[in-house]
């Protein structure tokens, strides 16, 4: 028997209602905030991620699903959404219709990591990207949307960590201070950080290794080196978050260790889900569009991991779900009535009802059991005696109330009864 690849999940019919629920909330809220959906390909040219994610990141160094297609091009299953969305923004000249351009996406991402609880090789993200404004109130809006989504799906306890990583200007100065602190401690860093030290010292803040975490615990933070403009921007972001009533914790060691990330950086964490406690993160990337060959257009966004959101909801008492409850199951008591059952089913569905029937010619008792297990709200029982008078029995499974209704008017009757219920 062939099983699914390691680090992937099947979403079974019983679980898919949870996905509908959270995806629907993501779509509705995004629209409310003025973000429109964009769907980019699942694979892209490898170069997009080398440049757009950065070749000193774990993602690019160790985690990409890269392959050659039949004509020898190097392609990569997308490990994240920002670079593809920025690529599409540029490729289709979306700025021409007027800035800002506010986009969201929902879909699978692929990273070759070591699978564990909350870490998969195929996982799903809900993300937004807003291009074209450096305004700190937009930073606050993006954070507000992430927080509003978590609240809308029912998450009760989570923390928002906030920082500013400055701009290339303030980072230049910080880099020198950081290097003079780190170089004497080089031997205490993990091999990867040692190798990347000169190229990207900020990245060490991102490293999960215990030894590196100890080293950065007393390292000079970027926040203490912010230039006056970046400091003011950060101050204003905090002011707008205050206006919006959003609580946050300042976390000077929170960075996104890449050059094109600027100013606001944030992360959303839920302690209850264990080691992989980050359910989402985001920030400004004022240098990305230019890096990909466009004009210097600023951007800001976030990405939330939906499997981790579901894990967090389960840890906090359960996930609301949109389940398929059948409106009506058509039950026939004799195979002679099969044609009547088939045509009635078609009528019920045409009337907009969720309807089904038994396809195994089971006994009446077995069909009733099937209706309960489905679960269905009502059954229509076609019996020879009633049908000889053009009638059928409609039974409500919850109340047990049973009525005899003309066969020709069953859908009408059920629709009326549903209206009464609502
Ligand atoms: P990142 O793009 O690394 O900032 O990730 C954003 C969010 O995506 C994280 O906070 C996680 O919730 C989720 N995520 C990232 N990598 C994985 C993974 N391998 N498995 C499941 N979720 C992930």
């Amino acid at each position: 028997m062939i099983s699914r690849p390691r680090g992937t999940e099947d979403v079974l019919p019983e679980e898919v209602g949870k996905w509908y629920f959270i995806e629907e909330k993501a779509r509705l809220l995004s629209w409310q905030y003025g973000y429109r959906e964009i769907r980019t390909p699942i694979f892209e040219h490898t170069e997009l991620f080398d440049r757009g994610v950065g070749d000193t990141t774990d993602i690019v160094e160790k985690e990409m699903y890269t392959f050659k297609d039949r004509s020898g091009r190097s392609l990569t299953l997308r490990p994240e959404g920002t670079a593809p969305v920025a690529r599409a923004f540029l490729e289709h000249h979306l700025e021409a219709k007027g800035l800002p351009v506010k986009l969201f996406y929902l879909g699978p991402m692929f990273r070759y990591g070591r699978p564990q609880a909350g870490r998969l090789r195929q996982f799903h993200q809900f993300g937004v990207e807003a291009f074209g404004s450096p305004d700190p109130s937009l930073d606050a809006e993006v954070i507000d949307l992430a927080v509003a989504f978590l609240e809308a799906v029912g998450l009760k306890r989570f923390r928002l960590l906030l920082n500013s990583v400055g701009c290339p200007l303030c980072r230049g100065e910080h880099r020198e201070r950081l290097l003079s602190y780190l170089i004497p401690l080089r031997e205490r860093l993990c091999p990867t950080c040692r190798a990347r030290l000169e190229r990207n010292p900020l990245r060490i803040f991102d490293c999960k290794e215990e030894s590196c975490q100890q080293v950065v615990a007393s390292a000079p933070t970027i926040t203490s080196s912010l230039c006056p403009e970046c400091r003011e921007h950060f101050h204003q972001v905090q002011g707008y978050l205050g206006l919006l009533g959003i609580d946050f914790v300042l976390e000077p060691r929170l960075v996104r260790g890449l050059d094109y990330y600027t100013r606001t950086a944030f992360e959303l964490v839920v302690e209850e889900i264990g080691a992989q406690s980050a359910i989402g993160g985001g920030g400004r990337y004022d240098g990305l569009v230019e890096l990909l060959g466009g004009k210097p257009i600023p951007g800001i966004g976030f990405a939330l991991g939906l499997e981790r959101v579901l894990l967090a909801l389960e840890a906090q008492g359960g996930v609301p779900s949109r389940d398929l409850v059948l409106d009506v199951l058509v039950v026939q008591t004799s195979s002679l009535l099969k044609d009547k059952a088939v045509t009635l089913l078609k009528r019920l569905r045409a009337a907009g009802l969720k309807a089904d029937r038994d396809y195994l010619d089971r006994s009446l008792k077995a069909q009733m059991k099937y209706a309960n297990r489905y679960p269905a709200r009502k059954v229509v029982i076609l019996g020879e005696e009633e049908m000889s008078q053009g009638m059928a029995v409609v039974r409500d499974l919850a109340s047990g109330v049973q009525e005899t209704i003309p066969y020709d008017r069953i859908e009408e009757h059920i629709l009326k009864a549903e209206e009464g219920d609502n």
Side-chain angles (χ1 to χ4, degrees):
M1 206 179 54
I2 300 172
S3 59
R4 64 188 194 276
R6 205 158 115 79
T8 65
E9 279 178 349
D10 296 308
V11 179
L12 300 177
E14 301 86 75
E15 294 149 13
V16 83
K18 299 174 189 173
W19 285 88
Y20 286 174
F21 173 78
I22 61 172
E23 287 166 356
E24 222 169 79
K25 291 283 184 211
R27 288 209 168 85
L28 282 174
L29 271 172
S30 297
W31 291 335
Q32 279 190 286
Y33 279 66
Y35 291 72
R36 294 196 301 164
E37 183 165 355
I38 183 161
R39 300 188 186 192
T40 61
I42 299 289
F43 57 85
E44 297 271 358
H45 292 296
T46 303
E47 195 194 345
L48 174 69
F49 301 114
D50 284 346
R51 269 211 269 167
V53 178
D55 54 12
T56 55
T57 55
D58 277 352
I59 294 182
V60 171
E61 284 189 340
K62 305 189 251 186
E63 298 180 348
M64 294 209 302
Y65 275 94
T66 296
F67 59 97
K68 289 239 159 67
D69 74 1
R70 288 178 186 274
S71 61
R73 284 185 204 94
S74 181
L75 299 171
T76 295
L77 298 185
R78 62 181 188 196
E80 57 97 57
T82 304
V85 171
R87 193 239 348 111
F89 168 80
L90 276 170
E91 190 167 338
H92 301 282
H93 304 287
L94 298 187
E95 80 286 353
K97 288 192 181 144
L99 294 171
V101 171
K102 306 204 296 185
L103 305 167
F104 78 92
Y105 59 86
L106 277 164
M109 305 292 161
F110 305 85
R111 294 184 196 174
Y112 188 86
R114 185 137 43 87
Q116 61 183 81
R119 197 195 296 146
L120 292 156
R121 291 180 173 171
Q122 174 174 334
F123 59 98
H124 296 77
Q125 285 185 340
F126 159 44
V128 312
E129 316 291 352
F131 296 97
S133 169
D135 196 292
S137 64
L138 183 60
D139 302 48
E141 174 184 281
V142 164
I143 294 173
D144 178 33
L145 175 49
V147 168
F149 168 74
L150 296 179
E151 285 172 349
V153 297
L155 203 65
K156 293 179 203 88
R157 291 176 299 279
F158 58 89
R159 287 197 306 150
L160 167 63
L161 310 180
L162 186 70
N163 195 19
S164 171
V165 295
C167 62
L169 212 80
C170 23
R171 276 217 292 268
E173 187 200 322
H174 175 247
R175 191 190 142 86
E176 297 312 314
R177 284 175 57 203
L178 189 57
L179 278 176
S180 43
Y181 168 82
L182 288 171
I183 287 169
L185 304 174
R186 187 182 208 120
E187 294 313 309
R188 290 171 52 192
L189 299 173
C190 76
T192 319
C193 287
R194 232 178 287 154
R196 290 172 182 159
L197 185 56
E198 310 282 340
R199 273 202 297 163
N200 190 354
L202 251 198
R203 207 230 145 241
I204 294 166
F205 285 90
D206 249 350
C207 183
K208 303 281 177 289
E209 293 291 331
E210 186 57 37
S211 55
C212 296
Q213 281 302 313
Q214 281 172 9
V215 170
V216 297
S218 12
T221 62
I222 174 73
T223 328
S224 53
S225 300
L226 294 183
C227 67
E229 290 78 18
C230 288
R231 188 167 310 218
E232 175 58 20
H233 190 274
F234 192 32
H235 180 70
Q236 289 196 28
V237 171
Q238 296 176 53
Y240 287 117
L241 289 176
L243 275 181
L244 296 169
I246 296 173
D247 292 332
F248 56 87
V249 180
L250 291 178
E251 177 47 89
R253 269 162 244 288
L254 175 70
V255 301
R256 322 210 92 207
L258 291 172
D259 286 349
Y260 61 78
Y261 279 116
T262 51
R263 298 186 166 172
T264 310
F266 63 95
E267 199 164 82
L268 291 147
V269 293
V270 174
E271 315 300 345
E272 289 119 310
I273 59 172
Q276 306 298 317
S277 64
I279 55 174
R284 265 202 175 272
Y285 45 83
D286 289 350
L288 177 63
V289 174
E290 195 175 10
L291 185 80
L292 295 177
K295 293 190 202 125
I297 292 176
I300 176 159
F302 69 70
L304 288 160
L306 296 183
E307 283 83 0
R308 288 197 199 162
V309 169
L310 289 174
L311 273 178
L313 285 170
E314 256 141 37
Q316 296 186 6
V319 187
S321 170
R322 285 180 118 284
D323 279 329
L324 176 69
V325 176
L326 203 66
D327 294 314
V328 50
L329 188 85
V330 178
V331 166
Q332 86 232 6
T333 57
S334 144
S335 58
L336 295 174
L337 294 168
K338 204 184 226 172
D339 287 1
K340 293 284 184 202
V342 168
T343 48
L344 174 61
L345 182 59
K346 176 74 184 166
R347 276 166 40 205
L348 292 166
R349 289 170 174 169
L353 292 161
K354 297 193 212 80
D356 209 345
R357 57 178 279 269
D358 167 58
Y359 284 98
L360 295 176
D361 286 329
R362 283 182 279 217
S363 69
L364 175 62
K365 200 171 147 205
Q367 290 183 68
M368 293 304 289
K369 225 165 128 183
Y370 182 51
N372 278 309
R373 210 180 44 212
Y374 209 114
R377 277 189 241 282
K378 289 185 166 54
V379 291
V380 177
I381 305 165
L382 304 181
E384 282 185 71
E385 206 180 308
E386 290 87 1
M387 280 303 286
S388 68
Q389 292 156 37
M391 304 295 273
V393 170
V394 177
R395 182 188 172 97
D396 186 286
L397 285 180
S399 64
V401 172
Q402 207 159 281
E403 289 172 281
T404 306
I405 309 291
Y407 173 80
D408 292 338
R409 298 182 44 194
I410 289 173
E411 61 271 51
E412 208 178 301
H413 172 82
I414 292 176
L415 283 172
K416 257 209 202 108
E418 291 221 330
E419 263 170 37
D421 286 347
N422 288 332

